[in-house]
């Protein structure tokens, strides 16, 4: 890749996020065209990352996609995709990493609460026990790195297990809040349900990838 010779460096856009495609998304784009862009960009991202898997700098930029391109752009690309599609799965992986990046203490606390009740999922997720904020950040980065450097199905299964443990921890947290802060218990219960659903969707996507049907 060519690099500027002067001035501050900005991480390059991954090859899929070219201006012509991303500029076409806002506005009255019809659903079929939007879906085509979502699937094309997701496939290009994965292909580009896996082709450059030997370059840690490329993988690091892809893992940090939300930080360099913005969550709004990534959402515009993929958030409306079916959950068991490649763009839908990537959207869930990047949102999960962004939550971990922004609130690692809560994630670590809920993982600690949940892993005792879900030890198998904890082992699959690959998070040290007990985890701290840095450990859950590292685990989220490792999951996304695995999309580009390893078996995509394994990365999706790790993310699914991560969500399962967090959902269990959130459910325990909701039970506690029901006693000490009932106004917060409902929100945490909904969070647990959402995490459980995301875990199921990621596990289904892993099975589809193994069967050659995730696109």
């Amino acid at each position: 890749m060519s690099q500027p010779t002067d001035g501050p460096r900005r991480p390059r856009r991954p090859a899929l996020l070219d201006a012509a495609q991303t500029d076409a998304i806002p506005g009255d784009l019809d659903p079929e065209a939007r879906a085509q862009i979502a699937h094309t960009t997701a496939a290009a991202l994965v292909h580009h990352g896996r082709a450059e898997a030997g370059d840690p700098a490329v993988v690091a930029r892809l893992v940090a996609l939300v930080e360099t391109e913005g969550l709004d752009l990534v959402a515009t690309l993929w958030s409306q995709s079916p959950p068991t599609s490649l763009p839908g799965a990537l959207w869930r992986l990047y949102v999960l990493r962004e939550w971990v990046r922004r609130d690692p203490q809560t994630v670590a606390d809920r993982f600690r609460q949940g892993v005792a009740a879900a030890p198998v999922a904890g082992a699959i997720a690959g998070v040290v026990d007990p985890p701290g904020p840095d450990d859950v950040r590292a685990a989220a980065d490792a999951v996304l790195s695995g999309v580009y450097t390893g078996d995509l199905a394994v990365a999706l299964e790790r993310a699914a297990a991560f969500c399962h443990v967090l959902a269990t921890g959130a459910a325990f947290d909701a039970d506690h809040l029901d006693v000490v802060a009932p106004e917060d218990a409902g929100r945490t219960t909904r969070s647990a349900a959402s995490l459980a659903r995301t875990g199921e969707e990621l596990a289904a996507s892993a099975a589809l990838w193994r069967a050659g049907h995730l696109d």
Side-chain angles (χ1 to χ4, degrees):
M1 293 183 179
S2 61
Q3 295 179 354
T5 56
D6 54 17
R9 286 186 57 195
R10 182 180 183 276
R12 288 172 58 88
R13 286 175 177 262
L16 82 162
L17 297 183
D18 64 85
Q21 286 180 317
T22 55
D23 288 349
I25 296 175
D28 58 353
L29 193 66
D30 69 84
E32 184 176 348
R34 184 182 294 274
Q36 183 177 0
I37 290 173
H39 287 274
T40 299
T41 54
L45 184 74
V46 172
H47 175 77
H48 174 67
R50 296 174 81 82
E52 301 289 339
D55 186 339
V58 171
V59 174
R61 285 199 296 271
L62 292 174
V63 169
L65 181 67
V66 167
E67 290 146 76
T68 57
E69 301 297 338
L71 186 62
D72 288 346
L73 174 60
V74 179
T76 300
L77 284 169
W78 298 331
S79 66
Q80 297 183 38
S81 301
T84 51
S85 66
L86 185 57
L90 289 176
W91 168 244
R92 282 153 181 77
L93 291 177
Y94 278 104
V95 169
L96 180 63
R97 179 185 180 270
E98 185 66 5
W99 176 41
V100 175
R101 190 178 72 86
R102 293 185 181 187
D103 195 4
Q105 187 63 61
T106 296
V107 175
D109 288 345
R110 288 187 177 167
F111 197 95
R112 283 195 297 270
Q113 291 183 72
V115 73
V120 174
I124 294 171
V127 183
V128 301
D129 186 19
D134 290 341
D135 300 313
V136 292
R137 279 200 196 100
D141 285 354
V143 167
L144 260 177
S145 294
V147 170
Y148 307 111
T149 62
D151 186 330
L152 178 56
V154 171
L156 292 169
E157 287 165 350
R158 285 188 66 186
F162 193 70
C163 287
H164 179 65
V165 174
L166 290 174
T168 304
F172 287 146
D173 206 11
D175 288 343
H176 172 71
L177 288 170
D178 205 28
V179 176
V180 299
E183 65 280 6
D184 294 330
R187 182 176 65 252
T188 306
T189 298
R190 290 190 294 274
S191 175
S194 178
L195 283 163
R197 183 172 60 253
T198 297
E200 292 168 358
E201 291 163 351
L202 289 168
S205 294
L208 287 171
W209 178 263
R210 290 190 190 281
H213 299 309
L214 186 69
D215 54 23

